[in-house]
Amino acid sequence: MDYEQFFADKVAALKAEGRYRIFADLERKAGNFPVAKNYQDDATPDITVWCSNDYLGMGQNPVIMEAMHEALDKCGAGAGGTRNISGTNHYHVLLEEELASLHGKEAGLIFTSGYVANLTTLSTIGQMLPDCVIVSDALNHNSMIAGIRHSRTEKKIFKHNDVEDLENILKTIEPGRPIMIAFESVYSMDGDIGPIEEICDLADKYNALTFIDEVHAVGLYGQHGAGVAERENLMDRIDITQGTLAKGFGVVGGYIAASESLCDFIRSYGDGFIFSTSIPPAVAAGCLASVKYVREHNELREKHQERATTLKKRLTDVGIPVMPSVTHIVPVMVGDPVLCKQASDELMFQYGIYVQPINYPTVPRGTERLRFTPTPLHNDELMDHLVESLQKVWGQLGLKQAA
């Protein structure tokens, strides 16, 4: 077999479909977010980033950067090993305590990424709970799907956010079998929110564990940024909260917050935790500073919501087809992979606006979109330029407008 030809053919197939992914070569400018330098052949123009998951701009916050500099000077670059073999730095311990406090849980456990947190936790519980069945929302993130698959336990899928379908499935499970219901709070491509209270009610009724992914909500919702469960006063009803340190908190890493026994169980049995080198002390210090800062600055969340609400209204007012969203996610429907990429390119190269095209398999075919994530640092001037530029691109490409 010609291996290289096989690889090249598979990539060519993606290009033919119009969904080959091209990465923007960016250089973020410390203290000047959302502006970044874009490396384009021989040119390096400044562009405005409109699709970052650094939702509050915390990756540029001087408090966080100062904490990282201090820890780097104190501890050096790397952690030195896995958590078990010399790689537990005091910053890791402090960060886990802070995350447990944030979510009102007994313990926290940090991972190298949110992906690894989901993969490890779901697979470990699924593998080791005897005769376990995991019931998963149809639109759960790839990392949750991977964790469930890797567990090799029985899985059942309920229709997205459909509690009636969820209960119909739960009714079919033999009484006494361990059950875990896995779902998200904010679904990041559509901007909708899971029915947390109703799912918790069913979990109580059928004696199921609840596993919530709050990746796109931590830092952003609730009085202290613990997520949608905090906003809705439901944190005490969630067994396992999974979150990230890379989005609302602006650094990198993932975590779970749960009971002492559950976190110790994952710490002791989870391959993705045991065999991974721990995050650098400077990263943990930055995360710790960010979580503390975000907890105390609710005005950031208020401004963030205002910016998202304002952008949705302004785009809708000029006929840009904003998809329904009750969160900070502002998805704009294109519905064609080639046109979606063309629209993204026009915005980047003609107007200095970066928004990544979102194509299959991230979203279903025929729902290709541009996904905007305004932050508190996207001011009115930047928003004016975006709205005007989108109108021009929509006209140039003949894209469908809102009814």
Side-chain angles (χ1 to χ4, degrees), residues 108-111 113-129 132 134 143-144 146-148 150-151 153 180 182 209-212 239-243 254-258 262-267 269-274:
L109 195 66
I110 54 175
F111 299 79
S113 70
Y115 195 105
V116 174
N118 269 337
L119 176 66
T120 302
T121 305
L122 288 165
S123 64
T124 304
I125 292 173
Q127 284 171 4
M128 299 198 67
L129 265 181
C132 177
I134 300 178
S143 58
M144 299 174 75
I148 295 167
H150 192 64
S151 75
T153 193
M180 180 163 55
L209 288 171
T210 48
F211 181 104
I212 189 170
D239 293 302
I240 310 160
T241 297
Q242 183 269 344
Y255 66 89
I256 59 169
L262 190 144
C263 286
D264 200 14
F265 167 75
I266 300 298
R267 183 190 74 86
Y269 287 98
D271 291 349
F273 177 85
I274 294 170

Side-chain angles (χ1 to χ4, degrees), residues 184-241:
E184 300 185 35
S185 58
V186 174
Y187 289 84
S188 64
M189 289 299 117
D190 292 330
D192 55 340
I193 290 178
I196 302 173
E197 184 171 17
E198 292 90 340
I199 291 175
C200 289
D201 289 343
L202 290 175
D204 290 344
K205 183 176 179 179
Y206 293 92
N207 191 29
L209 288 171
T210 48
F211 181 104
I212 189 170
D213 178 315
E214 291 250 36
V215 160
H216 291 274
V218 290
L220 312 177
Y221 295 88
Q223 184 64 30
H224 302 97
V228 178
E230 182 194 22
R231 187 188 72 177
E232 299 181 6
N233 297 313
L234 295 169
M235 287 198 298
D236 61 327
R237 300 189 65 189
I238 299 294
D239 293 302
I240 310 160
T241 297

Side-chain angles (χ1 to χ4, degrees), residues 348-367:
M348 173 78 90
F349 297 110
Q350 298 299 321
Y351 301 102
I353 291 168
Y354 172 47
V355 56
Q356 187 72 10
I358 307 295
N359 294 332
Y360 177 84
T362 306
V363 296
R365 297 180 193 275
T367 69

Side-chain angles (χ1 to χ4, degrees), residues 28 33 52-69 71 77 91-92 95 99 110-114 215 218-220 243-255 279-294:
R28 280 160 59 99
F33 183 78
S52 174
N53 284 340
D54 186 1
Y55 292 131
L56 299 177
M58 294 303 292
Q60 307 285 312
N61 189 300
V63 173
I64 283 73
M65 291 194 291
E66 181 180 350
M68 295 184 74
H69 279 296
Y91 285 113
H92 298 132
L95 177 57
L99 291 167
I110 54 175
F111 299 79
T112 51
S113 70
V215 160
V218 290
L220 312 177
T244 184
L245 298 158
K247 295 179 172 63
F249 297 123
V251 193
V252 71
Y255 66 89
I279 61 176
V283 171
C287 293
L288 177 62
S290 184
V291 174
K292 287 182 174 181
Y293 186 94
V294 169

